[in-house]
Amino acid sequence: MTDDKTQKAHLSRRQTLMMMGAAGAAGLMGPAAIGRDQAFAANADANGQLILAFSQEPTVFNPLMPHIEVDEGVYYAVFDPLFDFDPDGEYFPILVAEVPTVANGGISEDGLNWRIKLKDGVTWHDGTPFTAEDVKFSLELTMDPDFRSFRSTGYKFMQNITVVSDTELTWEMSEPFAPMAAILASTYIIPKHAFDGVEDKNTAPFSNAPIGTGPFKFKERMAGDHIELEANADYHMDGPYLKTLIIKYVPDLNVMYTQFKSGDIDVIGLQYISPDHLAEAEKLPNKIVTVAGTATFESIGLNMTRPQFQELAVRQALYAALDKTSIIDALYYGVPTPTETYMPQQSYYYEPDLPKHEFSLEKARKLLDDAGWVPGADGVREKDGVRLSFTNSTTAGNHLREQAQQFIQQTFKEVGVEMIIKNLPPAVMWGDYWMNSGFDSVVVGLNALSGADPDTSDYFMSTMSPVLGGSGQNTFAYQNPKVDELLIKGAASFVPEERREIYQELQRVIRDDLPFLPVFQYAVIKGRKDDVDGPAPNVNNRIETWNVRDWKRT
């Protein structure tokens, strides 16, 4: 961010972790408030059009419902959270007048009482004033048992949410919860009035015509092709600097790169430039191409409700038969980094001493032999009437993943495992098929963190699986009491050193259990025209539009 207002409001990563009641927190420096009488930035100079390309189609336009990264590409343009993380892992205010801390009275020293002060004068895209009632509605909707919420972690501890005034609200926590601030930083606020009289909030008209407070208004959607957004001239922060933002879907990565190369695309987004094009892309005239680390990890995700994956020996054998070094070197040109965990290696909480993967077909065969999986007449192993055969799915048109699948399919076959490739269009793949665990296995990239906070309850807690009746992102349907215990323990600790030990142990447990087969941590190749200014990498957010309010044509 280049805005002085946001720079002064930053809260350090360590303060973020300590700010909810740790000893000595009263001595923290509070962030500078944005004065309520301060005039909002003039936005009349918004001009020009920018075309941003994604390889997947955003399909979920209510940001409080289950969604994936690509959907957030739209959310950051249309909606606002209360506050957010910058690239340094520090908070800056968006809808709040100041980020709540112990020092400024926003959070009690025991972490149980919160007070949020909002900016005055913010309006929704339809001109309706934004108030504390909207925040209360958004927070309570996530806890509604009849609503398909994308997350229940943290919210379930909130109680007695009270609107004090149009610009102030309070609530109590039933117990201290360290990741709460990070969860709020990824919670987009939606308008209460858009749901007036709506009986089923899961199917509200709002989901097709979203209204936000963000820098851009939803103008038009052409299914299967693009979304057109227009500048919000009444935006409450600096920007937007673009008159029109078009988010285009190009599922074939080779086609997306060709369109970027030809100039039809201004910014190439998720899934970015594939590594096989890197050498050429770096030489393209009038283009800026950079390699940026992210918190996303690539894995072979397993649906733990399937009988094929119930035994640990099977999961260990599949991992031993996964030649990820060859995949990274041959298909991804060595750009991403091999990993054994979901935690990014840049994180304070990363566990560097996990067992290192060993590709060994001999080891895989022995594991399966010892576990009693016997090859059948067709060479596919069987045990107790279950064939070691399953489908593997990912986005159709992602040629690198498709090539990786073929490679994996072959090595699995050599140990008596049948993997049937079943790829789907993005909107189908990452819709109910993914969210409701309709798959057997998937090739998937995930960022399981809440900004810079290490909590991953939403992805790994037993109660967070939609297919098992929960409300969260645990689409692996993974259940492990030890993991649950560590997640609860980690969320109750406010001391970074103590939390580090907890989350490193958590990584060890998950690595031993293998509910997913980790492949690599992403390093993505981003590209834009050299007359586009503003896009900036941010390992603490899931997609590049986190600061789209700042993007401009020069």
Side-chain angles (χ1 to χ4, degrees), residues 276-405:
D276 51 330
H277 294 305
L278 175 59
E280 180 188 41
E282 290 179 320
K283 300 174 184 176
L284 293 176
N286 306 315
K287 304 289 194 297
I288 297 174
V289 174
T290 58
V291 179
T294 77
T296 301
F297 69 100
E298 185 89 334
S299 73
I300 310 298
L302 308 176
N303 185 338
M304 298 293 284
T305 68
R306 300 295 193 256
Q308 298 94 323
F309 306 131
Q310 295 297 307
E311 280 191 76
L312 176 59
V314 171
R315 303 194 297 273
Q316 291 173 330
L318 293 177
Y319 197 37
L322 177 65
D323 188 0
K324 64 184 185 181
T325 299
S326 294
I327 291 171
I328 292 169
D329 291 344
L331 300 181
Y332 290 87
Y333 291 75
V335 173
T337 305
T339 189
E340 302 293 340
T341 179
Y342 62 86
M343 190 73 73
Q345 296 171 30
Q346 298 89 341
S347 172
Y348 172 75
Y349 301 94
Y350 172 69
E351 168 56 270
D353 297 323
L354 295 172
K356 294 297 184 284
H357 171 264
E358 176 192 3
F359 171 61
S360 172
L361 297 180
E362 181 180 351
K363 177 181 177 181
R365 293 187 189 102
K366 186 175 189 309
L367 282 164
L368 293 173
D369 288 341
D370 291 348
W373 289 85
V374 180
D378 59 357
V380 178
R381 293 178 183 263
E382 300 178 6
K383 180 180 179 181
D384 298 333
V386 176
R387 297 178 75 244
L388 200 43
S389 173
F390 53 86
T391 60
N392 182 267
S393 306
T394 197
T395 308
N398 187 322
H399 67 286
L400 292 182
R401 281 183 175 168
E402 290 174 336
Q403 291 174 40
Q405 284 177 309

Side-chain angles (χ1 to χ4, degrees), residues 74 91 99 102 118 200 204 302 318 385 445 447 468 511 532 553:
V74 176
Y91 288 117
V99 177
V102 172
L118 304 172
D200 183 1
L302 308 176
L318 293 177
N447 179 350
L468 299 177
R511 170 59 178 83
V532 176
R553 306 303 293 256

